[in-house]
Amino acid sequence: MDTSVNEETREVRRRNWRDIDLRAVAPFAALILLLILRAIVNPNFIGLNNLANVATRSAFIAIIAIGATFVISSGDLDLSVGAMVAFVASLMIIFMNSGVIADPALMLTAAVLFAVVAGSLCGLANGLITTVGRIEPFIATLGTMGIYRGLTTWLSQGGAITLKDPLFRKCTVRPISARSSAFRCRLR
């Protein structure tokens, strides 16, 4: 009986190895191959400082992706995310340029809260259009994408919206070392 169990186990192992879906594995294998090739060309590529820099610069995409994951997992699609981010960022910069709050640290805190509220309201508008209005999410978010792009262009008057205060322009988030990153800004 032991020999039949061992033969069945080997057969199961063989079947599992053959049943691996290469379409699922191929993107990860290609990524690993690209990382290896790039590390050969430039040894600093896989260094901790570079990886921290990449993580810092792509954090906003990760935040957007987390929200998109919830939308996609519910079976819907949101095409307006990029335009919404640009619109909310424009509103935040305009708010910061208004000088309503004199204290720079308080202004930055209020601007972040303002951006969270504005983004939430834009998302709520998308949600209400799809649920209450019973419009397909693809169509609704395609329309709101056009609206947010148009509003951003109107706010910027066809140009760029920049921070006027040189104090805020100096604020950056960059990796200081391989182990930590810090928000560098002298607000006083």
Side-chain angles (χ1 to χ4, degrees), residues 128-141:
L128 291 175
I129 290 169
T130 57
T131 55
V132 176
R134 296 183 186 210
I135 297 175
E136 284 295 316
F138 183 86
I139 301 299
T141 58

Side-chain angles (χ1 to χ4, degrees), residues 18 39 95 99 104 129 161 164 172 181:
R18 288 182 208 152
F95 176 73
I129 290 169
I161 301 176
K164 292 178 184 174
T172 57
S181 66

Side-chain angles (χ1 to χ4, degrees), residues 1-76:
M1 202 179 252
D2 287 335
T3 57
S4 65
V5 171
N6 287 337
E7 289 174 11
E8 289 176 16
T9 308
R10 282 188 208 140
E11 189 63 31
V12 168
R13 285 183 189 158
R14 286 183 193 150
R15 276 190 241 139
N16 286 340
W17 177 249
R18 288 182 208 152
D19 291 339
I20 291 176
D21 185 11
L22 292 179
R23 291 177 295 181
V25 175
F28 296 106
L31 177 64
I32 291 169
L33 180 66
L34 284 173
L35 288 173
I36 291 169
L37 289 174
R38 188 66 182 135
I40 291 170
V41 172
N42 184 357
N44 294 328
F45 180 73
I46 303 266
L48 290 177
N49 284 333
N50 186 47
L51 294 176
N53 188 25
V54 169
T56 300
R57 297 196 183 276
S58 58
F60 74 97
I61 294 173
I63 293 169
I64 293 170
I66 290 169
T69 301
F70 290 113
V71 173
I72 292 169
S73 64
S74 70
D76 291 332

Side-chain angles (χ1 to χ4, degrees), residues 12 17 48 53 87-88 93 107 113 142 152 164-165 182:
V12 168
W17 177 249
L48 290 177
N53 188 25
F87 175 61
V88 170
I93 292 171
M107 171 59 96
L113 291 174
L142 184 65
T152 304
K164 292 178 184 174
D165 191 351

Side-chain angles (χ1 to χ4, degrees), residues 167-185:
L167 185 69
F168 290 121
R169 278 191 261 153
K170 292 179 183 176
C171 294
T172 57
V173 178
R174 292 190 184 143
I176 292 174
S177 70
R179 293 187 191 125
S180 67
S181 66
F183 180 72
R184 288 193 258 184
C185 187

